[in-house]
Amino acid sequence: MSSNDTANEVDVNRVFIGAGCNRIVNNVSWGASGLVSFGAQNAVAIFCPKTAQILTTLPGHKASVNCTHWLPSTKFAFKAKHLESHYLLSGDTDGVIILWELSLVDKKWRHVLQLPQSHKKGVTCITGIMVSQSEAVFASTSSDGAVHIGEVVFPSIPGGDCKLSCLESLFVGSKAMVALSLAELPGNTDHLVLAMGGLDNKIHLYCGQRTGKFVRACELKGHTDWIRSLDFSLPVCTSGEAISILLVSSSQDKVIRIWKMALRGSSANTQSTCRKEVISLASYIEGPVLVAGSSSYQVSVESLLIGHEDWVYSVQWEPPSTAPSDGVSCQQPSSILSASMDKTMMIWQPEKTTGIWMNVVTVGELSHSALGFYGGHWSPDGRSILAHGYGGAFHLWRNVGVDIDNWQPQKVPSGHFAAVMDISWSRSSDYLLSVSHDQTTRVFASWKNVASLMGENSWHEVARPQVHGHDINCVTIIQGKGNHRFVSGADEKVARVFEAPLSFLKTLNHATFQESSFHEDLQADVQILGANMSALGLSQKPIYVNASYAATRETADRHGNDGLDTLESVPDAVPAVFTEPPIEDQLAWHTLWPESHKLYGHGNELFSLCCDHEGKLVASSCKAQSTAVAEIWLWEVGSWKAMGRLQSHSLTVTQISFSHDDNLLLSVSRDRQFSVFAIQRTGTGEIDYQLIARQEAHKRIIWSCSWNPFGHEFATGSRDKTVKIWAVENKSSVKQILALPPFNSSVTALSWVGLDRQKNHGFLAVGMESGVIELWSISVNRTNDVSTPAPSTANIIIRFDPFACHVAAVNRMAWKTHEKPKNSRTMQLASCGADNTVRVFQVNV
């Protein structure tokens, strides 16, 4: 990452990216490179299944990413042996498709081009095949009723230009296509076949030459609901000759169909006719004839696969696992992976004796909150299968068996699947807490005992303390001694207080190698093992250590409704201590924290929360359009009594922050003003507060503020694209001491960290609506300090790499402030944003 100030050598590295997958079909692609791509809001995220870490996010899309497709995909890994670069296509809800390049040598990404012929509506599917080692043909479809077919020629030298040409544009009418698959016709490789399916329940086959026009060949009827997925196999060889090809289709009618296209006049037809007389169960029904140039192909139904109990969103042929000697042709394995909304993935294979297709493997998600799978994908070697589901989560299984199949769940990256609104470091900086509009609160931590196996920094989601029924807007972790606690505020009028259960404390000790500040002797005081979800998903009830699980079940059964599934019949959680990072099934249900208190008082939805550094006071604000509603409430930690109501603003208070000595409280608001209050605790335990300054500081909404850790200076950032530095003088007035040069985008997040107390010097991280993060060096001269007459200064230190930054608005940033060794020159900065990601950066000074 480049620095604008050569005198200050500051290096920034990505430590962690947490993100969930966009909840849409065709969003995920597993490439021949071994990497998986997926859309995370308007970012294209890339993760490595071996390390379970997201490596980068690709900026470029302005709308939510609907689909991604690797060139070459896992199916064509055998054609990618000599490629120095792999390519990726991504399409969004605006109809834009972008081509990306990954250099295998230095692992660097490059934005190659945006396809000139964009769709008018959202892209719903992208497919592509390698027709040679340097050429690919791809097709895309959209809800605008258009199907575009194009060809891309990859450069022969690294860094060269890709040659893109549009081959054809087809218009299919009002009933849009949502599934596509391309293939070279066996025995006639000059011709391609394109299968498309969608809302009219039919599969439409088009034929065309690689350079010519695609014409409608025939249609296949049989499915009784929307077609959701199509996939051509590689050519099936008979007696060493490729004379047939198979197409698998899936539908919302819960049925999977396999269609066979055999070259007419070949031995395949005579062989299949003979087999038809002997084994009637495996016989097929003859369909239409597909004509391509001088060749014709008999299309027939090869098999019906019935086993799923809900819509089948995805089917995919297993990729060839052994590389051919010539690097041109390869044997197609007889194995199909299907994924369904019935929460299962199945592997289908023909029985060796009868040839009848059977379900040989079933894996799935058992979580009560799960709502099924949107897609399933094979790894390049066929030993792993990946699913993505309604909860934005990935599920990975690997066949670890030697002689027999043994599919075991594996670790995968995870994160929020909606905008992440707020983050907070734990008081000892062991973990990071985040809240999101996906209605969850999540804990991310560096898991020390797997770091040696998976790289230097191995961050994982270790708990999901809150799964709520409202979008969550803000969170603060209670500082001070005692158990881990946090307060969260959602789109409701009540703030909720949560306390860590024993299962989390012990899991945290495993994650941090017993380095947690909450030691074993203190854990004896915690009598709560975990928490259960309530029927309506709002309150979380405690599960006590001494309460027998059987008794809990008995009580639940007693309150049941004679076995009928009702709103009240929510299954019990089974809190457990994890010795390795938990997987989605465990996170979704068994890592909840019990709710200990509710804080009533605000008249509208909660918007901002803050805790003082001693852990004695919590400040809260809500959405407001009047002075009475815009007041800030102060709560006493422990008793949770309301200690004060601070009135100053007339619109929503967007952020609140205590100074580092807890004597001042700063608030900024949509009314373009900031307010500074003096906070003092009296001998009787009451709170005295006084407004000492209120000023209209910016021309637009003030989104963010941050205190200087070494003094009573603070920064404000606004939609007017400016950041200003202010100083509180003698706790009686405020004056502006610095204004940073205008930025290119609205400033939405600020976080100030101290570096040198004597020089009153630190770094200010500035996050913007564009997703960009910049680091500024701030040196503040105190007017009463005669020894340093130099004026206050602000210099840009570094602008973060776009491939590491957010690709939508940065909502909050927070420096890891736990005491570090004196000789350490590294710091960590956490951030969250509207691109659904939580990120941690390491800043080396």
Side-chain angles (χ1 to χ4, degrees):
M1 300 185 188
S2 60
S3 170
N4 288 23
D5 193 332
T6 53
N8 297 286
E9 291 189 3
V10 174
D11 184 38
V12 177
N13 300 312
R14 173 198 58 82
V15 174
F16 168 70
I17 302 173
C21 181
N22 287 345
R23 302 185 296 168
I24 193 165
V25 187
N26 302 323
N27 188 246
V28 176
S29 179
W30 200 330
S33 60
L35 301 178
V36 175
S37 63
F38 67 96
Q41 188 49 27
N42 60 325
V44 179
I46 309 295
F47 88 79
C48 175
K50 291 180 182 176
T51 60
Q53 299 290 300
I54 296 176
L55 304 179
T56 189
T57 53
L58 311 180
H61 288 285
K62 292 181 173 62
S64 181
V65 175
N66 274 358
C67 39
T68 63
H69 188 83
W70 281 94
L71 296 173
S73 61
T74 51
K75 187 190 295 185
F76 295 98
F78 67 92
K79 288 189 178 181
K81 297 297 178 186
H82 307 295
L83 288 180
E84 292 186 356
S85 296
H86 284 222
Y87 296 84
L88 179 69
L89 287 164
S90 59
D92 65 26
T93 53
D94 281 349
V96 172
I97 298 176
I98 295 177
L99 178 67
W100 310 88
E101 179 187 69
L102 167 65
S103 169
L104 299 182
V105 180
D106 56 9
K107 307 296 182 190
K108 292 253 178 94
W109 282 89
R110 182 170 72 93
H111 179 293
V112 180
L113 54 88
Q114 178 178 318
L115 267 61
Q117 192 174 20
S118 64
H119 290 280
K120 294 174 184 174
K121 293 184 180 178
V123 182
T124 52
C125 183
I126 300 175
T127 188
I129 59 168
M130 301 290 293
V131 291
S132 72
Q133 293 198 358
S134 61
E135 293 174 274
V137 174
F138 63 89
S140 64
T141 183
S142 162
S143 46
D144 64 4
V147 177
H148 296 323
I149 305 163
E151 183 183 43
V152 59
V153 180
F154 303 133
S156 54
I157 55 168
D161 291 332
C162 291
K163 293 179 181 176
L164 180 77
S165 54
C166 296
L167 299 181
E168 180 70 288
S169 288
L170 305 170
F171 294 93
V172 295
S174 59
K175 293 199 173 179
M177 299 292 110
V178 294
L180 298 174
S181 188
L182 272 166
E184 292 179 292
L185 284 168
N188 187 4
T189 53
D190 286 340
H191 281 75
L192 301 176
V193 59
L194 170 65
M196 59 177 78
L199 280 58
D200 63 358
N201 310 346
K202 302 172 189 173
I203 300 169
H204 304 269
L205 298 181
Y206 286 76
C207 285
Q209 290 181 299
R210 279 172 51 184
T211 55
K213 194 174 180 64
F214 277 72
V215 293
R216 185 168 184 159
C218 61
E219 60 184 37
L220 310 180
K221 299 177 182 178
H223 286 293
T224 58
D225 208 334
W226 290 8
I227 312 291
R228 297 312 305 228
S229 182
L230 296 166
D231 192 32
F232 276 113
S233 69
L234 292 170
V236 178
C237 295
T238 306
S239 306
E241 185 186 3
I243 40 70
S244 66
I245 193 170
L246 296 173
L247 170 67
V248 61
S249 62
S250 72
S251 164
Q252 290 180 186
D253 63 10
K254 310 174 190 176
V255 175
I256 300 165
R257 289 173 176 260
I258 303 174
W259 311 80
K260 186 174 186 178
M261 296 168 56
L263 187 62
R264 295 184 81 184
S266 69
S267 57
N269 280 330
T270 54
Q271 283 182 6
S272 58
T273 307
C274 296
R275 200 176 71 186
K276 184 175 173 182
E277 295 170 3
V278 181
I279 307 165
S280 59
L281 283 172
S283 65
Y284 60 77
I285 304 164
E286 287 194 356
V289 174
L290 181 144
V291 179
S294 58
S295 304
S296 61
Y297 299 83
Q298 178 67 58
V299 184
S300 53
V301 178
E302 176 76 4
S303 187
L304 256 68
L305 313 185
I306 301 173
H308 284 295
E309 297 174 355
D310 209 333
W311 298 356
V312 185
Y313 266 136
S314 164
V315 281
Q316 191 178 72
W317 288 97
E318 181 182 343
S321 53
T322 54
S325 55
D326 58 2
V328 175
S329 61
C330 205
Q331 187 67 33
Q332 172 66 58
S334 294
S335 186
I336 292 170
L337 175 68
S338 63
S340 166
M341 285 299 276
D342 66 5
K343 309 180 190 178
T344 64
M345 280 204 302
M346 295 181 180
I347 296 176
W348 306 80
Q349 292 173 355
E351 201 180 19
K352 290 181 181 177
T353 52
T354 63
I356 298 172
W357 285 78
M358 306 287 288
N359 167 26
V360 294
V361 174
T362 302
V363 294
E365 180 181 28
L366 300 175
S367 168
H368 171 76
S369 56
L371 286 169
F373 294 142
Y374 279 134
H377 303 270
W378 290 97
S379 65
D381 63 0
R383 300 282 293 178
S384 298
I385 51 177
L386 176 76
H388 68 103
Y390 183 82
F394 287 106
H395 303 261
L396 178 67
W397 289 269
R398 184 157 182 83
N399 187 2
V400 297
V402 180
D403 297 323
I404 57 170
D405 283 354
N406 181 15
W407 294 87
Q408 293 296 320
Q410 306 293 308
K411 285 182 279 292
V412 286
S414 65
H416 295 282
F417 58 85
V420 190
M421 303 309 295
D422 203 355
I423 49 174
S424 182
W425 285 100
S426 70
R427 60 171 181 267
S428 53
S429 298
D430 288 335
Y431 59 86
L432 182 68
L433 190 73
S434 62
V435 296
S436 163
H437 282 174
D438 69 3
Q439 306 187 346
T440 65
T441 300
R442 305 186 190 224
V443 171
F444 299 97
S446 177
W447 199 286
K448 296 290 195 297
N449 59 357
V450 295
S452 57
L453 300 174
M454 294 188 170
E456 187 179 346
N457 299 298
S458 186
W459 279 69
H460 301 271
E461 185 180 349
V462 299
R464 207 166 292 170
Q466 184 183 9
V467 178
H468 203 40
H470 296 289
D471 294 1
I472 309 176
N473 298 321
C474 50
V475 71
T476 185
I477 288 182
I478 307 300
Q479 306 301 315
K481 297 178 181 179
N483 194 3
H484 299 264
R485 288 174 294 180
F486 73 86
V487 185
S488 71
D491 276 347
E492 53 181 347
K493 299 175 184 180
V494 54
R496 298 173 187 269
V497 185
F498 296 84
E499 188 164 332
L502 191 60
S503 57
F504 172 79
L505 300 175
K506 291 186 174 180
T507 298
L508 188 62
N509 276 356
H510 283 292
T512 58
F513 268 173
Q514 308 289 333
E515 291 173 8
S516 172
S517 60
F518 200 68
H519 299 296
E520 293 282 346
D521 55 341
L522 294 172
Q523 291 181 12
D525 297 331
V526 180
Q527 296 299 312
I528 297 173
L529 186 63
N532 265 324
M533 175 69 72
S534 70
L536 296 176
L538 294 175
S539 296
Q540 293 169 192
K541 309 298 184 189
I543 300 172
Y544 291 95
V545 174
N546 297 328
S548 138
Y549 183 67
T552 310
R553 287 301 299 218
E554 190 180 329
T555 309
D557 291 342
R558 194 164 55 244
H559 291 299
N561 193 16
D562 299 327
L564 294 177
D565 187 18
T566 67
L567 275 175
E568 299 295 329
S569 60
V570 178
D572 290 312
V574 186
V577 178
F578 299 109
T579 55
E580 59 180 20
I583 59 174
E584 177 66 20
D585 279 2
Q586 298 161 328
L587 286 166
W589 205 244
H590 305 305
T591 60
L592 294 171
W593 290 19
E595 183 183 307
S596 60
H597 292 87
K598 293 181 179 71
L599 309 182
Y600 294 98
H602 286 291
N604 282 333
E605 299 93 334
L606 270 290
F607 197 83
S608 180
L609 282 163
C610 176
C611 180
D612 68 0
H613 299 81
E614 286 187 33
K616 293 181 178 177
L617 281 178
V618 167
S620 63
S621 72
C622 71
K623 296 177 183 177
Q625 291 184 325
S626 66
T627 305
V629 182
E631 58 191 6
I632 298 166
W633 285 58
L634 296 180
W635 309 88
E636 184 178 50
V637 173
S639 70
W640 297 110
K641 291 190 298 188
M643 304 297 287
R645 294 161 68 173
L646 286 56
Q647 282 196 0
S648 175
H649 297 285
S650 57
L651 293 174
T652 305
V653 173
T654 53
Q655 191 173 359
I656 319 166
S657 183
F658 283 93
S659 63
H660 285 258
D661 60 7
D662 291 335
N663 291 329
L664 299 174
L665 178 66
L666 168 67
S667 61
V668 293
S669 167
R670 296 181 75 102
D671 63 12
R672 308 173 186 179
Q673 300 185 357
F674 68 75
S675 298
V676 179
F677 298 88
I679 306 292
Q680 191 174 2
R681 189 178 288 271
T682 64
T684 58
E686 297 296 316
I687 299 294
D688 273 350
Y689 49 89
Q690 180 185 357
L691 177 65
I692 63 172
R694 181 175 63 210
Q695 188 168 331
E696 185 165 326
H698 293 270
K699 296 175 182 176
R700 303 291 299 275
I701 293 169
I702 307 176
W703 282 125
S704 186
C705 62
S706 184
W707 284 98
N708 174 14
F710 298 146
H712 286 170
E713 297 84 26
F714 61 88
T716 57
S718 165
R719 184 182 277 175
D720 65 10
K721 304 180 183 179
T722 63
V723 172
K724 297 178 181 179
I725 313 294
W726 311 80
V728 181
E729 295 182 325
N730 303 320
K731 290 190 183 180
S732 60
S733 63
V734 173
K735 74 167 186 176
Q736 182 180 331
I737 55 174
L738 271 177
L740 273 57
F743 293 88
N744 295 325
S745 181
S746 299
V747 176
T748 52
L750 295 171
S751 188
W752 198 331
V753 67
L755 293 177
D756 189 326
R757 185 177 290 275
Q758 286 186 328
K759 296 180 181 177
N760 201 13
H761 170 244
F763 282 169
L764 180 66
V766 180
M768 290 168 246
E769 194 174 35
S770 61
V772 172
I773 297 175
E774 292 183 2
L775 214 54
W776 286 72
S777 172
I778 308 289
S779 294
V780 178
N781 172 41
R782 296 198 175 99
T783 53
N784 57 356
D785 192 348
V786 185
S787 61
T788 55
S792 301
T793 58
N795 298 299
I796 186 169
I797 296 296
I798 196 168
R799 182 177 290 113
F800 288 19
D801 183 348
F803 287 91
C805 283
H806 293 273
V807 293
V810 183
N811 286 332
R812 191 75 82 226
M813 295 187 294
W815 289 95
K816 186 175 179 177
T817 55
H818 189 55
E819 289 298 322
K820 54 185 180 292
K822 288 187 177 179
N823 57 354
S824 172
R825 300 298 289 167
T826 64
M827 298 175 293
Q828 286 191 340
L829 173 69
S831 64
C832 66
D835 58 0
N836 305 359
T837 65
V838 174
R839 298 169 190 253
V840 179
F841 303 94
Q842 182 159 301
V843 179
N844 305 305
V845 183

